[in-house]
Amino acid sequence: MHTPEASPAHIAEAAYDRRRLRQWLAGQARAEGVSRRTMLRLLAAAGAAGTVPTTLAPAAAAATTATATATATGTGTGTGTGIVKPLPEAWFTVRGTNAETRFAALAETGHHTPNERFFVRNHTATPVLDAADWTLTVWGDGLTHGGSVEFTLPDLKRLPAVTRTAFVECAGNGRSLFTTQQGQTVSGTAWTLGAIGTARWRGTRLADVLRLAGLGPAAVDVLPRGLDADYVTADGTDLGRVRRPLPLAKALDDVLLAYEMNGEPLPPDHGHPVRVLVPSWIGIASVKWVGDIQVSAQPLYSPWNTDFYRLFGDAYPEGGSAPLTRQTIKSAWELDWNAQLTPETEHRLTGRSWSGAAGVVRVDVSTDGGTNWRPAQLHDTPRRGDWTRWSARWRPPAPGAYTLLARATDRAGRTQPGSTVHNTQGYLFDAVVRHPVTVA
Ligand code: MTE
């Protein structure tokens, strides 16, 4: 059975994780806001249990707090969600501080998700920042001078601009299907399949900014941090600002500091004025409202790569998997759950499929609960980090309840499985979804 850990990227990430955990043990890694218990659990899971001494070297000094001139000032409009843009019911399902896009609302849209319909995942509330006051501070001992360098938005815009289409998808997208389709208990926001959107992003290469800031040969990790408020968990623990380390190799590869989304300045809810965009990786890597980036000569930890965004559960080591990186593979019909269709009429049913590993090159559909399958027609050139639209014609033979299925295969050879191995936080659901419709 497919497990998310089995891909080469995850094997590489697991080795990286073991190395950085050993460094933490030797007092060379920084773990701000991460408990010793968490670190011990991860160390045990990484196979280092035998080497854990009874007294541990303390984690290295608390990280410097970088100054950012922009501050989080606003909360949302009257919606009570902390989200600024309107959230019409026809487009969104509100889930606490988050808004999920209705897949049916994408049927009317083109390849790119209009900014107004793009899902929002906020740990707290959208801060309303003024681009004119905003600066990005790049700092840390991974820079040759060990100091800090500030960039304004005009500074970034003077650098070569890159435009690329990429999806942003929450690691927990599809989470509710662990329960509704597999009967399993998971924690977290009960997304269906709409915690994804695809946009045309324009911005500066993070690699260019890091090099200008004086990237040194000792740098190993890069930690972007948001300017939104501290995230306080349900039990009252303040985890600080949203931040998640990226290995330098990824940071130098295809990561953007994006300031435009679909040809417009980044909207407030999506990171105005600048967000990190990490193509193909889980959404948490794409830090919004970035205010500073630490460049470190030691491996870094935050709760977002220790307690969250790893796989925990019976199928995984006690301390969890390595930190999650690439997204998994999924498909969704552009139909409401229990959508009504007329019998004996030919319908053109549409949907989208995507994968974090490679472009989706094939989609098979079934309109009889999985007994018979046929290929859907694809409407996009498959590209990595992007989705592929598809359609299938169907004439329902008679009134009744039907189950539609769509199963994607990507260029890397991954195909959606029949079920997803359970993990307690409900990440990376990749199984073929059983979508009910009523013909009446
Ligand atoms: N960045 C900051 N600063 N604060 C956040 O709450 N949420 C992350 C990521 N970046 C988050 C953040 C998560 S979990 C996801 S899935 C994406 O942003 C969502 O991006 P979107 O709201 O633009 O769709």
Side-chain angles (χ1 to χ4, degrees), residues 118-124 168-171 191 195 197 201 225-228 242-243 261 269-271 275 282-290 309:
F118 207 98
F119 87 103
V120 181
R121 162 67 177 121
N122 281 351
H123 281 71
T124 56
V168 170
E169 186 193 14
C170 196
W191 304 107
W201 309 93
R225 184 161 50 159
L227 289 165
D228 39 342
V242 173
R243 61 199 188 283
M261 180 177 182
D269 297 311
H270 300 290
R275 82 179 298 165
I282 56 171
I284 185 62
S286 293
V287 170
K288 302 192 276 189
W289 314 293
V290 59
Y309 302 106

Side-chain angles (χ1 to χ4, degrees), residues 327-331 354-355 408-410 414-416 429-430:
Q327 260 297 355
T328 186
I329 184 166
K330 286 191 193 70
S331 301
W354 59 95
S355 160
T409 300
D410 69 22
R414 291 204 290 181
T415 296
Q416 289 184 255
F429 188 87
D430 62 351

